[in-house]
Amino acid sequence: MQIPFLSFEYMNREIKPEIMTAFEQFFDKSWYILGTSVQDFEAAYAHFNQTKAAVGVSNGLDALHIALKCAGIGAGDEVLVPSNTYIATFLAVSYVGATPVPVEPDIRTYNINPDLLEAAVTPKTKAIIPVHLYGQACNMDAIMTIAEKHGLKVIEDNAQAHGATWQNRLTGSFGHINATSFYPGKNLGAFGDAGAVTTDDEVLAEKAKVLRNYGSQKKYYNEEIGFNMRLDECQAAFLSVKLKRLKEWTALRRQAAVWYNEFLQDCSSVITPSTEQAATHVYHLYVIRTTQRDALQKHLANNGIGTLIHYPVPPHLQEAYKGFGFTARQFPVAEDLAQTCLSLPMWPGITKEMVFEVTGQIHSFFS
């Protein structure tokens, strides 16, 4: 049985007629930039995410960049970020001239550890970026309490957790201004690059709209030094179609995770995902850990099963950040995760038989 790491076949088959209709409508309108499709999707996504505003932008990294700019973060500032994250979290901080300050994750959840945040706060600290990694919500109560105590802005990186909750409240709705990605592989993915900023602060939302469009509200009149970071009309139309299926597709991801947990419960050589009691998980990724990760990945590949490593090199050890003075074993939890984690096949439409085959091969490897 050939089982890819990710397949769009099930989702695309379900929505193809609606996507074709959406494209025809987009094509016939002959309005390609910041039209009604973007406005409609922004309204729909804000409603879904239970925020007052959503601002469509070009991708998730640009969403983080704009969110930091809107929050007033800049040169000389420090921003607390997870040591265990995709490098985009660090890059956005660097883009605004600020310094990313890594904080280690909770080894159980892989998310930033709130117990370590206060020790990292200095007079230069201006913000925290919690990343809801792999689809599980961070402990937002603890993070918001620390932020309020120290007068810090909170900018959620919600790229992997559309629909996840902490204490029954949706991720992407806690922070002062938040960012998400609609990269094709995300739980809500476009057919190309796309992203959004979410916030309950209407002033920040308007500022985000200005920044994404050359710093302009009125054509040829520029009040800010802005960017070209607009969400495409076509992608917005596609996202509106897919958003209507997101809850259904999330339920399918969660069912697949139940199967994985069931079939791996007796495999003592593998650590399966752990979800905090107050959190929900939408399983953008199903990540296991094992000290024999590389050999297991090779075994699965030899048996037709695709996997990925999220992420093989932590941001602080990337070549791009060698000038920041980070050293090996400075953030050992993130480094240990990078050496032991393995993402198994996960997508809406993966069957119980497929999961059984994947886990069967894992059992076979360790036996």
Side-chain angles (χ1 to χ4, degrees):
M1 186 183 294
Q2 297 293 312
I3 304 173
F5 170 72
L6 175 63
S7 172
F8 297 108
E9 183 181 352
Y10 174 86
M11 292 182 289
N12 287 354
R13 185 173 63 246
E14 278 204 328
I15 62 174
K16 184 175 181 179
E18 291 177 81
I19 291 293
M20 293 297 105
T21 299
F23 177 76
E24 286 184 6
Q25 291 172 346
F26 155 78
F27 187 83
D28 291 342
K29 277 192 304 185
S30 298
W31 188 286
Y32 308 124
I33 302 292
L34 294 184
T36 56
S37 293
V38 168
Q39 294 168 14
D40 291 346
F41 174 70
E42 288 174 335
Y45 191 74
H47 177 77
F48 166 82
N49 207 62
Q50 297 175 16
T51 55
K52 290 182 180 178
V55 179
V57 299
S58 41
N59 56 65
L61 176 54
D62 289 346
L64 281 170
H65 186 181
I66 286 176
L68 285 160
K69 290 282 288 184
C70 289
I73 309 303
D77 295 337
E78 294 178 350
V79 180
L80 305 186
V81 297
S83 58
N84 182 47
T85 185
Y86 184 53
I87 197 170
T89 314
F90 277 56
L91 292 175
V93 176
S94 297
Y95 284 177
V96 297
T99 301
V101 177
V103 176
E104 288 273 68
D106 183 325
I107 191 64
R108 299 171 301 111
T109 66
Y110 317 141
N111 279 333
I112 196 167
N113 189 338
D115 295 339
L116 304 178
L117 281 171
E118 278 202 276
V121 174
T122 75
K124 294 182 178 180
T125 308
K126 294 296 185 292
I128 306 170
I129 301 182
V131 180
H132 306 293
L133 201 66
Y134 306 151
Q136 178 176 184
C138 294
N139 183 339
M140 291 308 300
D141 286 342
I143 291 168
M144 296 305 294
T145 297
I146 292 166
E148 184 175 351
K149 178 180 177 181
H150 294 278
L152 308 177
K153 297 294 186 183
V154 174
I155 299 155
E156 294 174 74
D157 182 336
N158 196 37
Q160 300 185 3
H162 308 130
T165 61
W166 175 264
Q167 296 282 23
N168 299 314
R169 181 175 171 182
L170 286 162
T171 55
S173 70
F174 286 88
H176 298 88
I177 183 166
N178 313 295
T180 194
S181 168
F182 304 123
Y183 181 77
K186 303 300 191 209
N187 290 29
L188 178 61
F191 293 92
D193 272 321
V197 168
T198 58
T199 182
D200 282 332
D201 188 320
E202 294 176 354
V203 173
L204 292 180
E206 288 305 311
K207 186 174 179 66
K209 289 180 180 179
V210 169
L211 285 174
R212 74 175 176 186
N213 189 37
Y214 295 98
S216 172
Q217 293 188 73
K218 181 181 178 182
K219 194 174 181 69
Y220 303 131
Y221 292 83
N222 305 79
E223 58 206 67
E224 298 258 9
I225 298 176
F227 313 98
N228 179 9
M229 295 180 173
R230 302 170 299 207
L231 174 62
D232 288 342
E233 275 285 287
C234 189
Q235 297 299 343
F238 294 157
L239 285 165
S240 289
V241 171
K242 298 183 82 172
L243 180 59
K244 293 183 288 186
R245 305 292 184 101
L246 182 56
K247 289 184 178 180
E248 170 195 336
W249 291 342
T250 298
L252 293 175
R253 288 178 180 271
R254 286 172 168 156
Q255 178 59 70
V258 169
W259 292 330
Y260 273 122
N261 290 339
E262 177 187 348
F263 298 150
L264 289 174
Q265 62 182 343
D266 296 327
C267 188
S268 60
S269 298
V270 163
I271 298 172
T272 54
S274 175
T275 304
E276 285 205 64
Q277 186 174 359
T280 62
H281 203 313
V282 296
Y283 294 100
H284 170 60
L285 300 171
Y286 185 93
V287 180
I288 62 170
R289 288 193 291 127
T290 173
T291 56
Q292 300 180 61
R293 189 269 310 282
D294 293 345
L296 174 60
Q297 185 179 40
K298 184 177 180 180
H299 169 80
L300 293 174
N302 289 340
N303 286 276
I305 296 169
T307 59
L308 284 179
I309 298 170
H310 295 85
Y311 300 98
V313 181
H316 71 278
L317 295 181
Q318 295 282 358
E319 185 76 9
Y321 282 93
K322 68 178 182 180
F324 281 65
F326 298 127
T327 59
R329 304 312 294 173
Q330 185 174 354
F331 301 101
V333 179
E335 292 175 41
D336 288 347
L337 289 172
Q339 294 166 7
T340 60
C341 68
L342 186 65
S343 301
L344 301 182
M346 171 62 76
W347 70 85
I350 191 171
T351 65
K352 189 174 185 178
E353 290 71 24
M354 290 177 179
V355 174
F356 187 75
E357 173 67 15
V358 174
T359 55
Q361 289 295 341
I362 292 173
H363 281 286
S364 175
F365 170 79
F366 285 109
S367 65

